[in-house]
Coordinates of all heavy atoms in Angstrom, one line a residue:
M1 N 32.3 15.1 -16.0 CA 31.4 15.4 -14.9 C 30.4 14.4 -14.6 O 30.1 14.1 -13.5 CB 30.7 16.8 -15.3 CG 31.7 17.9 -15.3 SD 32.6 18.3 -13.7 CE 31.5 19.5 -13.0
A2 N 29.9 13.7 -15.7 CA 28.8 12.8 -15.5 C 29.3 11.6 -14.7 O 28.6 11.0 -13.9 CB 28.3 12.4 -16.9
T3 N 30.5 11.2 -15.0 CA 31.1 10.0 -14.3 C 31.2 10.3 -12.8 O 31.2 9.4 -12.0 CB 32.4 9.6 -14.9 OG1 33.2 10.8 -15.2 CG2 32.3 8.7 -16.1
D4 N 31.5 11.5 -12.5 CA 31.7 11.9 -11.1 C 30.4 11.7 -10.3 O 30.4 11.4 -9.1 CB 32.2 13.4 -10.9 CG 33.6 13.5 -11.4 OD1 34.4 12.5 -11.1 OD2 34.0 14.5 -11.9
Y5 N 29.2 11.9 -11.0 CA 28.0 11.8 -10.4 C 27.5 10.3 -10.3 O 26.9 9.9 -9.4 CB 26.9 12.5 -11.2 CG 26.9 14.0 -10.8 CD1 27.6 14.9 -11.5 CD2 26.1 14.4 -9.7 CE1 27.5 16.3 -11.2 CE2 26.1 15.8 -9.4 CZ 26.8 16.7 -10.1 OH 26.8 18.0 -9.8
D6 N 28.0 9.5 -11.3 CA 27.6 8.1 -11.2 C 28.2 7.3 -10.1 O 27.5 6.5 -9.5 CB 28.0 7.5 -12.6 CG 27.0 7.7 -13.7 OD1 25.9 8.2 -13.3 OD2 27.3 7.6 -14.8
S7 N 29.5 7.4 -9.9 CA 30.1 6.6 -8.9 C 29.5 6.8 -7.5 O 29.2 5.8 -6.8 CB 31.6 6.8 -8.9 OG 32.0 7.9 -9.7
P8 N 29.4 8.0 -7.0 CA 28.8 8.2 -5.6 C 27.4 7.7 -5.5 O 26.9 7.2 -4.5 CB 28.9 9.6 -5.4 CG 29.1 10.3 -6.7 CD 29.8 9.3 -7.6
R9 N 26.6 7.7 -6.7 CA 25.3 7.2 -6.6 C 25.2 5.7 -6.4 O 24.4 5.3 -5.6 CB 24.6 7.5 -8.0 CG 23.5 8.6 -7.8 CD 23.0 9.0 -9.1 NE 22.1 7.9 -9.7 CZ 21.7 7.9 -11.0 NH1 22.0 8.9 -11.8 NH2 20.9 7.0 -11.4
K10 N 26.1 5.0 -7.1 CA 26.1 3.6 -6.9 C 26.6 3.2 -5.4 O 26.0 2.3 -4.8 CB 27.2 2.9 -7.8 CG 26.6 2.8 -9.2 CD 27.7 2.3 -10.2 CE 27.2 2.3 -11.6 NZ 28.2 1.9 -12.6
T11 N 27.5 4.0 -4.9 CA 28.0 3.8 -3.6 C 26.8 4.0 -2.5 O 26.7 3.3 -1.6 CB 29.1 4.7 -3.2 OG1 30.0 4.7 -4.3 CG2 29.8 4.3 -1.9
D12 N 26.0 5.1 -2.8 CA 24.9 5.4 -1.9 C 23.9 4.2 -1.9 O 23.5 3.8 -0.9 CB 24.2 6.6 -2.4 CG 25.0 7.9 -1.9 OD1 25.9 7.7 -1.1 OD2 24.6 9.0 -2.3
D13 N 23.7 3.7 -3.1 CA 22.7 2.6 -3.1 C 23.2 1.4 -2.3 O 22.4 0.7 -1.6 CB 22.5 2.1 -4.6 CG 21.6 3.1 -5.3 OD1 20.9 3.9 -4.6 OD2 21.5 3.1 -6.5
D14 N 24.5 1.1 -2.5 CA 25.0 -0.1 -1.8 C 25.0 0.2 -0.3 O 24.6 -0.7 0.5 CB 26.5 -0.3 -2.2 CG 26.6 -0.9 -3.6 OD1 25.5 -1.4 -4.1 OD2 27.6 -0.8 -4.2
L15 N 25.4 1.4 0.1 CA 25.3 1.7 1.5 C 23.9 1.6 2.1 O 23.7 1.1 3.2 CB 25.9 3.1 1.8 CG 27.4 3.2 1.8 CD1 27.9 4.6 1.8 CD2 28.0 2.4 3.0
G16 N 23.0 2.1 1.3 CA 21.6 2.1 1.8 C 21.1 0.6 2.0 O 20.5 0.4 3.0
E17 N 21.4 -0.3 1.1 CA 21.0 -1.6 1.3 C 21.7 -2.3 2.4 O 21.1 -3.0 3.2 CB 21.3 -2.5 0.0 CG 20.2 -2.3 -1.1 CD 20.5 -3.1 -2.3 OE1 21.0 -4.2 -2.2 OE2 20.2 -2.6 -3.4
D18 N 22.9 -2.0 2.5 CA 23.7 -2.6 3.6 C 23.2 -2.2 5.0 O 23.0 -3.0 5.9 CB 25.2 -2.2 3.5 CG 25.9 -3.1 2.4 OD1 25.2 -4.0 1.9 OD2 27.0 -2.8 2.0
S19 N 23.0 -0.8 5.1 CA 22.6 -0.4 6.4 C 21.1 -0.8 6.7 O 20.8 -1.1 7.9 CB 22.6 1.2 6.4 OG 21.8 1.7 5.4
L20 N 20.3 -1.0 5.7 CA 18.9 -1.5 5.9 C 19.0 -2.9 6.4 O 18.3 -3.3 7.4 CB 18.2 -1.4 4.6 CG 16.6 -1.5 4.8 CD1 16.0 -0.2 5.4 CD2 16.0 -1.9 3.5
Q21 N 19.8 -3.7 5.8 CA 19.9 -5.1 6.2 C 20.5 -5.2 7.6 O 20.1 -6.0 8.4 CB 20.7 -5.9 5.2 CG 19.9 -6.2 3.9 CD 20.8 -6.8 2.8 OE1 22.0 -6.9 3.0 NE2 20.2 -7.1 1.7
E22 N 21.4 -4.3 7.8 CA 22.1 -4.3 9.1 C 21.1 -4.0 10.2 O 21.1 -4.6 11.2 CB 23.3 -3.3 9.1 CG 24.4 -3.7 10.0 CD 25.5 -2.7 9.9 OE1 26.1 -2.7 8.8 OE2 25.9 -2.1 10.8
L23 N 20.3 -3.0 9.9 CA 19.3 -2.5 10.8 C 18.3 -3.7 11.1 O 18.0 -4.0 12.3 CB 18.5 -1.3 10.3 CG 19.0 0.0 10.8 CD1 18.2 1.1 10.0 CD2 18.8 0.2 12.2
Q24 N 17.9 -4.4 10.1 CA 16.9 -5.4 10.3 C 17.5 -6.6 11.0 O 16.9 -7.2 11.9 CB 16.4 -5.9 8.9 CG 15.4 -5.0 8.3 CD 15.1 -5.3 6.8 OE1 15.9 -6.1 6.2 NE2 14.0 -4.9 6.3
A25 N 18.8 -6.8 10.8 CA 19.5 -7.9 11.5 C 19.6 -7.5 13.0 O 19.4 -8.3 13.9 CB 20.9 -8.1 10.9
R26 N 20.0 -6.2 13.3 CA 20.1 -5.8 14.6 C 18.8 -5.9 15.4 O 18.7 -6.3 16.5 CB 20.6 -4.4 14.7 CG 22.0 -4.2 14.4 CD 22.5 -2.8 14.5 NE 23.9 -2.7 14.0 CZ 24.5 -1.5 14.0 NH1 23.8 -0.4 14.2 NH2 25.7 -1.4 13.5
R27 N 17.7 -5.5 14.7 CA 16.3 -5.6 15.3 C 16.0 -7.1 15.6 O 15.3 -7.3 16.6 CB 15.3 -5.0 14.3 CG 15.3 -3.5 14.3 CD 14.2 -3.0 13.5 NE 14.2 -1.5 13.5 CZ 13.3 -0.8 13.0 NH1 12.2 -1.4 12.4 NH2 13.3 0.6 13.0
A28 N 16.4 -7.9 14.7 CA 16.1 -9.4 14.9 C 16.8 -9.9 16.1 O 16.3 -10.7 16.9 CB 16.4 -10.2 13.7
D29 N 18.0 -9.4 16.3 CA 18.9 -9.8 17.4 C 18.2 -9.3 18.8 O 18.2 -10.1 19.7 CB 20.3 -9.2 17.3 CG 21.1 -10.0 16.3 OD1 20.6 -11.1 15.9 OD2 22.1 -9.5 15.9
K30 N 17.7 -8.1 18.7 CA 17.1 -7.6 20.0 C 15.8 -8.3 20.2 O 15.3 -9.1 19.4 CB 17.0 -6.1 19.9 CG 18.3 -5.4 19.9 CD 18.1 -3.8 19.9 CE 19.4 -3.1 19.9 NZ 19.2 -1.7 19.7
S31 N 15.1 -7.8 21.2 CA 13.8 -8.4 21.6 C 12.8 -8.1 20.5 O 12.9 -7.1 19.8 CB 13.3 -7.8 22.9 OG 13.0 -6.4 22.7
S32 N 11.9 -9.1 20.3 CA 10.9 -8.9 19.3 C 10.0 -7.7 19.4 O 9.1 -7.4 18.6 CB 10.1 -10.3 19.1 OG 9.4 -10.5 20.3
G33 N 10.0 -7.2 20.6 CA 9.0 -6.1 20.9 C 9.4 -4.8 20.2 O 8.6 -3.9 20.2
T34 N 10.5 -4.8 19.6 CA 11.0 -3.5 18.9 C 10.0 -3.2 17.8 O 9.7 -2.1 17.6 CB 12.4 -3.7 18.3 OG1 13.2 -4.4 19.2 CG2 13.0 -2.4 17.9
I35 N 9.6 -4.2 17.0 CA 8.7 -3.9 15.9 C 7.3 -3.4 16.4 O 6.7 -2.6 15.8 CB 8.5 -5.2 15.1 CG1 9.8 -5.6 14.4 CG2 7.4 -5.0 14.0 CD1 9.9 -7.0 13.8
D36 N 6.8 -4.0 17.5 CA 5.6 -3.5 18.1 C 5.6 -2.1 18.5 O 4.7 -1.3 18.3 CB 5.2 -4.4 19.3 CG 4.9 -5.8 18.9 OD1 4.4 -6.0 17.8 OD2 5.1 -6.7 19.7
I37 N 6.8 -1.7 19.0 CA 6.9 -0.2 19.4 C 6.8 0.6 18.2 O 6.2 1.7 18.2 CB 8.3 -0.1 20.2 CG1 8.2 -0.8 21.5 CG2 8.6 1.4 20.3 CD1 9.5 -0.9 22.2
D38 N 7.5 0.2 17.1 CA 7.5 1.0 15.9 C 6.1 1.2 15.4 O 5.7 2.3 15.0 CB 8.3 0.3 14.8 CG 9.8 0.5 15.0 OD1 10.1 1.4 15.9 OD2 10.5 -0.1 14.3
E39 N 5.2 0.2 15.4 CA 3.9 0.2 15.0 C 3.0 1.2 15.8 O 2.2 2.0 15.3 CB 3.2 -1.1 14.9 CG 3.7 -1.9 13.7 CD 3.0 -3.3 13.7 OE1 2.3 -3.6 14.6 OE2 3.3 -4.1 12.8
T40 N 3.3 1.2 17.1 CA 2.6 2.1 18.0 C 2.9 3.5 17.7 O 2.1 4.4 17.7 CB 2.9 1.7 19.5 OG1 2.8 0.3 19.7 CG2 2.0 2.5 20.4
E41 N 4.2 3.7 17.5 CA 4.7 5.1 17.2 C 4.1 5.6 15.9 O 3.6 6.8 15.8 CB 6.2 5.1 17.1 CG 6.8 5.1 18.4 CD 8.4 5.0 18.3 OE1 8.9 4.9 17.2 OE2 9.1 5.1 19.4
L42 N 3.9 4.7 14.9 CA 3.3 5.1 13.7 C 1.9 5.5 13.8 O 1.4 6.5 13.3 CB 3.4 3.9 12.7 CG 4.2 4.1 11.4 CD1 4.3 2.8 10.6 CD2 3.7 5.2 10.6
A43 N 1.1 4.7 14.6 CA -0.3 4.9 14.8 C -0.4 6.3 15.5 O -1.3 7.1 15.2 CB -0.9 3.8 15.6
E44 N 0.4 6.5 16.5 CA 0.3 7.8 17.2 C 0.6 9.0 16.3 O -0.1 10.0 16.4 CB 1.3 7.8 18.4 CG 0.7 7.0 19.6 CD 1.7 6.9 20.7 OE1 2.9 7.4 20.5 OE2 1.4 6.3 21.7
S45 N 1.5 8.8 15.5 CA 1.9 9.9 14.6 C 0.8 10.2 13.5 O 0.6 11.3 13.1 CB 3.2 9.7 13.8 OG 3.1 8.6 13.0
L46 N 0.0 9.1 13.2 CA -1.1 9.3 12.2 C -2.2 10.0 12.9 O -2.9 10.8 12.2 CB -1.5 7.9 11.8 CG -0.6 7.2 10.7 CD1 -1.0 5.8 10.3 CD2 -0.7 8.1 9.4
E47 N -2.5 9.7 14.2 CA -3.6 10.3 14.8 C -3.3 11.8 15.1 O -4.2 12.6 15.2 CB -3.8 9.6 16.1 CG -4.6 8.3 16.0 CD -4.7 7.6 17.3 OE1 -4.7 8.2 18.4 OE2 -4.8 6.3 17.2
L48 N -2.0 12.2 15.2 CA -1.6 13.5 15.5 C -2.4 14.1 16.7 O -3.3 15.0 16.5 CB -1.8 14.4 14.2 CG -0.9 14.1 13.1 CD1 -1.4 14.9 11.9 CD2 0.5 14.5 13.4
P49 N -2.1 13.7 17.8 CA -2.9 14.2 19.0 C -2.7 15.7 19.2 O -1.6 16.2 19.1 CB -2.3 13.5 20.2 CG -0.9 13.0 19.7 CD -1.1 12.7 18.2
G50 N -3.8 16.4 19.3 CA -3.7 17.9 19.5 C -3.8 18.6 18.2 O -4.1 19.8 18.2
A51 N -3.5 17.9 17.1 CA -3.6 18.6 15.8 C -5.0 18.7 15.3 O -5.7 17.7 15.3 CB -2.8 17.9 14.8
D52 N -5.4 19.9 15.0 CA -6.8 20.1 14.5 C -6.8 20.2 13.0 O -6.4 21.2 12.4 CB -7.3 21.4 15.1 CG -8.8 21.6 14.8 OD1 -9.5 20.6 14.5 OD2 -9.3 22.8 14.9
L53 N -7.3 19.1 12.4 CA -7.4 19.1 10.9 C -8.7 19.9 10.5 O -9.8 19.3 10.7 CB -7.4 17.7 10.4 CG -6.1 17.0 10.5 CD1 -6.3 15.5 10.1 CD2 -5.0 17.6 9.7
S54 N -8.5 21.0 10.0 CA -9.8 21.8 9.7 C -10.4 21.3 8.4 O -9.8 20.6 7.6 CB -9.3 23.3 9.5 OG -8.5 23.4 8.4
N55 N -11.6 21.6 8.2 CA -12.3 21.2 7.0 C -11.7 21.9 5.7 O -11.7 21.3 4.6 CB -13.8 21.6 7.0 CG -14.6 20.7 8.1 OD1 -14.2 19.6 8.3 ND2 -15.6 21.3 8.7
E56 N -11.1 23.0 5.9 CA -10.5 23.7 4.8 C -9.4 22.8 4.2 O -9.3 22.7 3.1 CB -10.0 25.1 5.3 CG -10.8 26.3 4.9 CD -10.2 27.6 5.3 OE1 -8.9 27.5 5.6 OE2 -10.8 28.6 5.2
E57 N -8.5 22.3 5.1 CA -7.4 21.5 4.7 C -7.9 20.2 3.9 O -7.3 19.8 3.0 CB -6.6 21.1 5.9 CG -5.1 21.1 5.7 CD -4.4 20.8 6.9 OE1 -4.7 21.5 8.0 OE2 -3.5 20.0 6.9
L58 N -9.0 19.6 4.4 CA -9.5 18.4 3.8 C -10.1 18.8 2.4 O -9.8 18.0 1.5 CB -10.6 17.8 4.7 CG -10.1 17.1 5.9 CD1 -11.3 16.6 6.8 CD2 -9.3 15.8 5.4
S59 N -10.8 19.8 2.3 CA -11.4 20.2 1.0 C -10.3 20.5 0.0 O -10.5 20.4 -1.2 CB -12.3 21.3 1.1 OG -11.6 22.5 1.6
L60 N -9.1 20.9 0.5 CA -8.1 21.2 -0.4 C -7.5 19.9 -1.0 O -7.1 19.9 -2.1 CB -6.9 22.0 0.3 CG -7.1 23.5 0.3 CD1 -6.1 24.1 1.2 CD2 -7.1 24.1 -1.0
R61 N -7.4 18.9 -0.2 CA -6.9 17.6 -0.6 C -7.8 16.9 -1.6 O -7.4 16.3 -2.5 CB -6.5 16.7 0.6 CG -5.4 17.3 1.4 CD -5.0 16.3 2.5 NE -3.9 16.9 3.3 CZ -3.4 16.2 4.3 NH1 -3.9 15.1 4.7 NH2 -2.5 16.7 5.0
V62 N -9.1 16.8 -1.2 CA -10.1 16.1 -2.0 C -10.6 17.1 -3.1 O -11.4 17.9 -2.9 CB -11.2 15.6 -1.1 CG1 -12.2 14.8 -2.0 CG2 -10.7 14.8 0.0
I63 N -10.1 16.8 -4.3 CA -10.4 17.6 -5.4 C -11.7 17.0 -6.1 O -11.7 15.9 -6.5 CB -9.3 17.8 -6.5 CG1 -8.1 18.3 -5.8 CG2 -9.7 18.7 -7.6 CD1 -6.8 18.0 -6.5
P64 N -12.8 17.7 -6.2 CA -14.0 17.2 -6.9 C -13.7 16.9 -8.3 O -13.2 17.8 -9.0 CB -15.0 18.3 -6.7 CG -14.2 19.6 -6.4 CD -13.0 19.1 -5.7
R65 N -14.0 15.7 -8.7 CA -13.7 15.3 -10.1 C -14.8 15.8 -11.0 O -16.0 15.5 -10.8 CB -13.6 13.8 -10.1 CG -13.1 13.3 -11.5 CD -12.6 11.9 -11.3 NE -13.6 11.0 -10.6 CZ -13.8 9.8 -10.9 NH1 -13.2 9.2 -11.8 NH2 -14.7 9.1 -10.1
Q66 N -14.4 16.4 -12.1 CA -15.4 16.9 -13.1 C -15.7 15.8 -14.1 O -15.0 14.7 -14.2 CB -14.8 18.1 -13.8 CG -14.4 19.2 -12.9 CD -15.6 19.8 -12.1 OE1 -16.6 20.0 -12.7 NE2 -15.4 20.0 -10.8
A67 N -16.8 15.9 -14.9 CA -17.2 14.9 -15.8 C -16.2 14.7 -16.9 O -16.0 13.6 -17.4 CB -18.5 15.4 -16.5
D68 N -15.4 15.7 -17.2 CA -14.4 15.5 -18.3 C -13.0 15.3 -17.7 O -12.0 15.4 -18.3 CB -14.3 16.8 -19.2 CG -14.0 18.0 -18.4 OD1 -14.0 18.0 -17.1 OD2 -13.7 19.0 -19.0
E69 N -13.0 14.8 -16.4 CA -11.8 14.5 -15.8 C -11.8 13.0 -15.3 O -12.8 12.4 -15.2 CB -11.5 15.4 -14.6 CG -11.2 16.8 -15.1 CD -11.0 17.7 -13.9 OE1 -11.5 17.4 -12.8 OE2 -10.3 18.8 -14.0
F70 N -10.6 12.5 -15.0 CA -10.5 11.1 -14.5 C -9.4 11.1 -13.4 O -8.5 12.0 -13.4 CB -10.2 10.1 -15.6 CG -8.7 10.3 -16.1 CD1 -7.8 9.4 -15.7 CD2 -8.5 11.2 -17.1 CE1 -6.5 9.6 -16.2 CE2 -7.2 11.4 -17.6 CZ -6.2 10.5 -17.1
T71 N -9.4 10.1 -12.6 CA -8.4 9.9 -11.6 C -7.5 8.8 -12.0 O -7.9 7.7 -12.2 CB -9.0 9.6 -10.2 OG1 -9.9 10.6 -9.9 CG2 -7.9 9.5 -9.1
C72 N -6.2 9.1 -12.1 CA -5.2 8.1 -12.6 C -5.1 7.0 -11.5 O -5.0 7.4 -10.4 CB -3.9 8.8 -12.8 SG -2.6 7.7 -13.2
S73 N -5.1 5.8 -11.9 CA -5.0 4.7 -11.0 C -3.6 4.5 -10.5 O -3.4 3.6 -9.6 CB -5.5 3.4 -11.7 OG -4.7 3.1 -12.8
R74 N -2.6 5.2 -11.0 CA -1.2 5.0 -10.6 C -0.8 6.1 -9.7 O -0.2 5.9 -8.7 CB -0.3 4.8 -11.8 CG -0.6 3.6 -12.6 CD 0.6 3.3 -13.6 NE 0.2 2.2 -14.5 CZ 1.0 1.9 -15.5 NH1 2.1 2.5 -15.7 NH2 0.6 1.0 -16.3
C75 N -1.0 7.3 -10.2 CA -0.5 8.5 -9.4 C -1.6 9.1 -8.6 O -1.4 10.0 -7.8 CB 0.2 9.5 -10.2 SG -0.9 10.4 -11.4
F76 N -2.9 8.6 -8.8 CA -4.0 9.1 -8.1 C -4.3 10.6 -8.2 O -4.9 11.2 -7.4 CB -3.9 8.7 -6.6 CG -3.8 7.2 -6.4 CD1 -2.6 6.7 -6.1 CD2 -4.9 6.4 -6.7 CE1 -2.5 5.3 -5.9 CE2 -4.8 5.0 -6.5 CZ -3.5 4.5 -6.1
L77 N -3.8 11.1 -9.3 CA -4.0 12.6 -9.6 C -5.2 12.7 -10.5 O -5.4 11.8 -11.4 CB -2.8 13.2 -10.2 CG -1.6 13.4 -9.2 CD1 -0.4 14.0 -9.9 CD2 -1.9 14.3 -8.1
V78 N -5.9 13.8 -10.4 CA -7.0 14.1 -11.4 C -6.5 14.8 -12.6 O -5.8 15.8 -12.5 CB -8.1 14.9 -10.6 CG1 -9.2 15.2 -11.6 CG2 -8.6 14.2 -9.4
H79 N -6.8 14.2 -13.8 CA -6.3 14.7 -15.0 C -7.5 15.0 -15.9 O -8.6 14.4 -15.7 CB -5.4 13.8 -15.7 CG -4.1 13.5 -15.0 ND1 -3.0 14.3 -14.9 CD2 -3.8 12.4 -14.2 CE1 -2.1 13.8 -14.2 NE2 -2.5 12.7 -13.7
H80 N -7.3 15.9 -16.9 CA -8.3 16.1 -17.9 C -8.3 14.8 -18.8 O -7.3 14.1 -19.0 CB -8.0 17.3 -18.7 CG -9.1 17.7 -19.6 ND1 -9.1 17.4 -21.0 CD2 -10.2 18.4 -19.3 CE1 -10.2 17.9 -21.5 NE2 -10.9 18.5 -20.5
R81 N -9.5 14.6 -19.4 CA -9.6 13.3 -20.2 C -8.7 13.3 -21.4 O -8.3 12.3 -21.9 CB -11.1 13.3 -20.8 CG -12.0 12.9 -19.7 CD -13.3 12.2 -20.2 NE -12.9 10.9 -20.8 CZ -12.9 9.8 -20.0 NH1 -13.2 9.8 -18.8 NH2 -12.7 8.6 -20.6
S82 N -8.2 14.5 -21.8 CA -7.2 14.5 -22.9 C -5.9 13.9 -22.5 O -5.0 13.6 -23.3 CB -6.9 16.0 -23.3 OG -6.4 16.8 -22.3
Q83 N -5.7 13.8 -21.2 CA -4.4 13.2 -20.6 C -4.6 11.7 -20.4 O -3.7 11.0 -20.0 CB -4.0 13.8 -19.3 CG -3.7 15.3 -19.4 CD -2.5 15.5 -20.2 OE1 -1.4 14.8 -20.0 NE2 -2.5 16.3 -21.3
L84 N -5.7 11.1 -20.7 CA -6.0 9.7 -20.5 C -5.3 8.9 -21.6 O -5.5 9.0 -22.8 CB -7.5 9.4 -20.6 CG -7.9 8.0 -20.4 CD1 -7.5 7.5 -19.0 CD2 -9.4 7.8 -20.6
A85 N -4.3 8.1 -21.1 CA -3.5 7.3 -22.1 C -4.1 5.9 -22.3 O -4.1 5.3 -23.4 CB -2.1 7.1 -21.5
S86 N -4.6 5.2 -21.2 CA -5.2 3.9 -21.3 C -6.4 3.8 -20.3 O -6.4 4.4 -19.2 CB -4.2 2.8 -21.1 OG -4.0 2.5 -19.7
D87 N -7.4 3.0 -20.7 CA -8.5 2.8 -19.8 C -8.9 1.3 -19.9 O -9.9 1.0 -20.5 CB -9.6 3.7 -20.3 CG -10.8 3.6 -19.3 OD1 -10.7 3.0 -18.3 OD2 -11.8 4.3 -19.6
K88 N -8.1 0.5 -19.3 CA -8.4 -1.0 -19.4 C -9.0 -1.5 -18.1 O -8.4 -1.4 -17.0 CB -7.0 -1.7 -19.6 CG -6.5 -1.5 -21.0 CD -5.2 -2.2 -21.2 CE -4.6 -1.9 -22.6 NZ -3.2 -2.5 -22.7
G89 N -10.1 -2.0 -18.2 CA -10.9 -2.6 -17.0 C -11.1 -1.5 -15.9 O -10.9 -1.9 -14.8
G90 N -11.4 -0.3 -16.3 CA -11.6 0.7 -15.3 C -10.3 1.3 -14.7 O -10.4 2.2 -13.9
Q91 N -9.2 0.7 -15.1 CA -7.9 1.3 -14.6 C -7.4 2.4 -15.6 O -6.8 2.1 -16.6 CB -6.8 0.1 -14.6 CG -7.2 -1.0 -13.6 CD -6.9 -0.6 -12.2 OE1 -5.8 -0.3 -11.9 NE2 -8.0 -0.5 -11.3
Q92 N -7.8 3.6 -15.2 CA -7.4 4.7 -16.0 C -6.0 5.2 -15.7 O -5.7 5.5 -14.5 CB -8.5 5.8 -15.9 CG -9.8 5.4 -16.3 CD -10.9 6.4 -16.0 OE1 -10.9 6.8 -14.8 NE2 -11.8 6.7 -16.9
V93 N -5.2 5.3 -16.7 CA -3.8 5.8 -16.5 C -3.5 7.0 -17.3 O -3.9 7.1 -18.5 CB -2.8 4.7 -16.9 CG1 -1.4 5.1 -16.7 CG2 -3.1 3.4 -16.1
C94 N -2.9 8.0 -16.7 CA -2.6 9.2 -17.4 C -1.4 9.0 -18.3 O -0.7 8.1 -18.1 CB -2.4 10.4 -16.3 SG -0.8 10.3 -15.5
R95 N -1.2 10.1 -19.1 CA -0.1 9.9 -20.0 C 1.3 9.9 -19.3 O 2.2 9.3 -19.8 CB -0.1 11.1 -21.0 CG -1.2 11.0 -22.1 CD -1.1 12.1 -23.1 NE -2.2 12.1 -24.0 CZ -2.4 13.0 -25.0 NH1 -1.5 14.0 -25.1 NH2 -3.4 12.9 -25.8
E96 N 1.4 10.7 -18.3 CA 2.7 10.7 -17.5 C 3.0 9.4 -17.0 O 4.2 9.0 -17.1 CB 2.6 11.7 -16.4 CG 2.7 13.2 -16.9 CD 2.5 14.1 -15.7 OE1 3.2 13.9 -14.7 OE2 1.7 15.1 -15.8
C97 N 2.0 8.6 -16.5 CA 2.3 7.4 -15.9 C 2.5 6.3 -16.9 O 3.3 5.3 -16.8 CB 1.2 6.9 -14.9 SG 1.2 7.9 -13.5
A98 N 1.8 6.5 -18.1 CA 1.9 5.5 -19.2 C 3.2 5.6 -19.9 O 3.7 4.7 -20.6 CB 0.7 5.6 -20.1
A99 N 3.8 6.8 -19.9 CA 5.1 7.0 -20.6 C 6.2 6.1 -20.1 O 6.3 5.9 -18.9 CB 5.4 8.5 -20.5
Ligands
ZN1 ZN1 -0.8 9.1 -13.4

């Protein structure tokens, strides 16, 4: 059963790289304005016109850090100090990321 899962996974990776390179090649062939349009679309989607970001939503994302907690520099999650695996040069890494 395991071998059945391995072969399609490799094929997917190859296809992904091929299609990505193909896309980039096609974009290069077309007018250079294509990339500019992508960036504009990105900025618009980030601004979310009409979307009302309430303070409630923001307070949910920003978790107040407690004195016995730290923010992992890799996954940016707040962990208890007991989960601190390394603290080199202020770069605090949790056990999950250090593993
Ligand atoms: Zn982490």
Side-chain angles (χ1 to χ4, degrees):
M1 290 300 265
T3 38
D4 286 330
Y5 277 95
D6 276 345
S7 12
R9 250 175 70 193
K10 283 176 184 172
T11 315
D12 280 351
D13 284 346
D14 287 344
L15 279 174
E17 276 181 36
D18 283 350
S19 58
L20 195 77
Q21 285 171 355
E22 209 176 299
L23 264 174
Q24 285 171 341
R26 282 182 189 174
R27 283 188 181 185
D29 283 345
K30 287 181 181 176
S31 65
S32 57
T34 316
I35 294 165
D36 290 333
I37 291 166
D38 281 350
E39 282 179 1
T40 310
E41 282 175 355
L42 243 177
E44 279 176 0
S45 63
L46 281 173
E47 280 175 26
L48 291 171
D52 186 19
L53 291 175
S54 64
N55 288 332
E56 259 187 9
E57 219 173 312
L58 282 174
S59 62
L60 275 175
R61 287 185 185 178
V62 182
I63 305 161
R65 188 165 44 143
Q66 304 298 315
D68 61 346
E69 290 177 336
F70 70 98
T71 304
C72 175
S73 61
R74 292 196 194 175
C75 67
F76 300 107
L77 290 175
V78 177
H79 297 280
H80 192 261
R81 287 207 69 86
S82 62
Q83 295 294 308
L84 182 61
S86 86
D87 187 3
K88 291 178 182 173
Q91 296 282 301
Q92 295 170 315
V93 180
C94 73
R95 285 187 185 180
E96 283 178 48
C97 292

